[in-house]
Amino acid sequence: MFKKLNLVNNISVALIFLISGLYLFKYSGIYLGHPFFLSVLYIMLISGFIYLSDKLPWNSLKFISEKILIIVLSILVLGALGWVTFMPRFGNVGRLPAIVDWIDRFFSNRFPYNSPITPSGFPFLYFLAMPFYFLKNVGYLEIFGLILFSIAVIRFSHSVKETAIKILMLLIVPVVYYELVVRGELFANAMFALFLLIITEKYLDVDKINLKFFLSAIIFGLVLSTRSVVGLVYVIYILYYFRGEIKNGIIFSLIAIAVFILMLVPFVAWDYKSFISNGPFAIQAFLAHLPIWVLLAVFVFTIYAGLLVSNIHEVFF
């Protein structure tokens, strides 16, 4: 997996461990001390561990099979479910309270974006969370994301070795544990967006405008109505997937954008002034702390990436 010429895998692992090192640097500085030393040590040890695992003779390890790895993933999901069910939320991250307060306000006929906890997601994120809200634990949303990740690992792995290394990666990155203990929803949000690509790749014919086409475009619009970063993912994918059927790609995109707008219209009509001052666009712009030229540069690069990629694995990268 990690040969010198396999730049995609090597860069991916490097980015994952860089992000993990940043998480460790921040939170070890708060809770443990020695943040620089621990972050560097983590990156060195884990990088060595992953690259050594690549050298293992997986084919001769008869006790490791796809069924065993599916059982391991199931145990991980059940362990995460137990943690979210019985352990209290840790830290001061406000994403779960923001979701709960948004839904509370929605059902009590108060404009949900006037929450003092500043919910930053688009409306469909909160509708996705509602089944778990009624179960009295919005943290289950992250478990659902973990289940989607597990299915994706099995679906997009070509060998036992590849599946095993992906599971190892899941186990050793602190970001996943962070999302579980603080009851975040970003991991689940990303998995909703990426899993939709997997389904589309399998079932949608780009040259046919039929019921599957319209349903797929509608679902794209709904998932787009979670966070704005999903739009960057979908720009890359649509440019890649519809490059041979540009007209169908335009129709697909217009349907998705129309659904996205329709999800916003009721909230604009509900309280226009509050939507402009406290709505998702205002909050996301405030939290991003990025000048407009950076956002434009990212968007241009995203279009370039969409024109450049040649298969679904490059899209994921």
Side-chain angles (χ1 to χ4, degrees):
M1 289 181 69
F2 304 111
K3 296 176 181 178
K4 289 181 179 179
L5 295 178
N6 199 331
L7 290 178
V8 166
N9 283 357
N10 287 309
I11 293 172
S12 296
V13 170
L15 287 173
I16 289 169
F17 289 152
L18 175 62
I19 294 167
S20 298
L22 289 172
Y23 266 78
L24 196 62
F25 182 83
K26 178 177 180 178
Y27 293 105
S28 62
I30 297 172
Y31 299 110
L32 300 172
H34 312 290
F36 181 78
F37 172 77
L38 290 175
S39 301
V40 173
L41 183 63
Y42 167 82
I43 292 174
M44 291 174 61
L45 290 177
I46 298 302
S47 298
F49 174 70
I50 285 295
Y51 280 96
L52 284 174
S53 68
D54 188 38
K55 307 299 182 184
L56 284 176
W58 292 96
N59 292 332
S60 63
L61 301 177
K62 301 300 182 182
F63 62 92
I64 298 180
S65 64
E66 185 173 305
K67 288 183 179 179
I68 293 296
L69 294 175
I70 291 173
I71 292 171
V72 170
L73 281 171
S74 301
I75 292 171
L76 291 176
V77 170
L78 290 173
L81 178 64
W83 179 277
V84 171
T85 301
F86 299 110
M87 299 299 291
R89 185 174 69 93
F90 178 79
N92 297 317
V93 176
R95 293 206 297 272
L96 182 140
I99 291 174
V100 172
D101 193 58
W102 193 100
I103 299 174
D104 283 340
R105 288 171 175 270
F106 181 82
F107 284 116
S108 61
N109 203 31
R110 293 177 293 162
F111 188 66
Y113 284 106
N114 279 341
S115 168
I117 317 177
T118 61
S120 61
F122 292 122
F124 193 65
L125 173 65
Y126 306 103
F127 294 139
L128 278 173
M130 281 183 185
F132 308 105
Y133 171 86
F134 292 126
L135 290 173
K136 307 297 183 183
N137 195 333
V138 176
Y140 290 148
L141 184 65
E142 201 69 354
I143 305 302
F144 191 53
L146 196 58
I147 292 170
L148 293 180
F149 176 86
S150 300
I151 296 171
V153 164
I154 299 300
R155 169 68 180 80
F156 271 88
S157 296
H158 298 97
S159 66
V160 168
K161 171 184 177 179
E162 189 177 333
T163 305
I165 290 179
K166 287 176 180 177
I167 296 172
L168 284 173
M169 295 276 302
L170 176 72
L171 286 170
I172 60 180
V173 279
V175 178
V176 177
Y177 300 101
Y178 173 85
E179 285 286 287
L180 285 172
V181 299
V182 304
R183 307 295 194 269
E185 92 295 332
L186 295 179
F187 180 80
N189 200 163
M191 286 315 305
F192 286 130
L194 293 176
F195 202 78
L196 181 53
L197 304 191
I198 295 173
I199 296 172
T200 304
E201 192 78 3
K202 185 172 183 178
Y203 294 108
L204 183 65
D205 294 324
V206 293
D207 57 341
K208 294 180 181 178
I209 298 181
N210 51 21
L211 182 59
K212 287 181 182 178
F213 181 92
F214 285 106
L215 287 176
S216 296
I218 290 168
I219 297 171
F220 264 73
L222 292 174
V223 178
L224 181 59
S225 182
T226 53
R227 290 189 183 278
S228 55
V229 70
V230 172
L232 299 178
V233 177
Y234 288 163
V235 166
I236 293 172
Y237 183 72
I238 289 172
L239 285 172
Y240 149 73
Y241 200 59
F242 287 95
R243 64 181 48 176
E245 292 286 345
I246 295 175
K247 184 189 76 172
N248 289 1
I250 292 172
I251 295 171
F252 190 93
S253 301
L254 289 175
I255 294 171
I257 292 169
V259 171
F260 172 78
I261 293 171
L262 286 172
M263 290 296 297
L264 294 174
V265 167
F267 297 92
V268 175
W270 187 342
D271 190 335
Y272 174 78
K273 289 184 178 179
S274 293
F275 184 86
I276 295 301
S277 60
N278 301 327
F281 293 105
I283 299 302
Q284 289 184 39
F286 170 74
L287 294 176
H289 300 294
L290 292 173
I292 189 67
W293 69 266
V294 173
L295 299 176
L296 289 173
V298 168
F299 184 70
V300 170
F301 178 78
T302 299
I303 293 174
Y304 174 70
L307 297 172
L308 193 67
V309 294
S310 58
N311 57 58
I312 188 64
H313 294 285
E314 290 183 1
V315 171
F316 288 152
F317 174 66

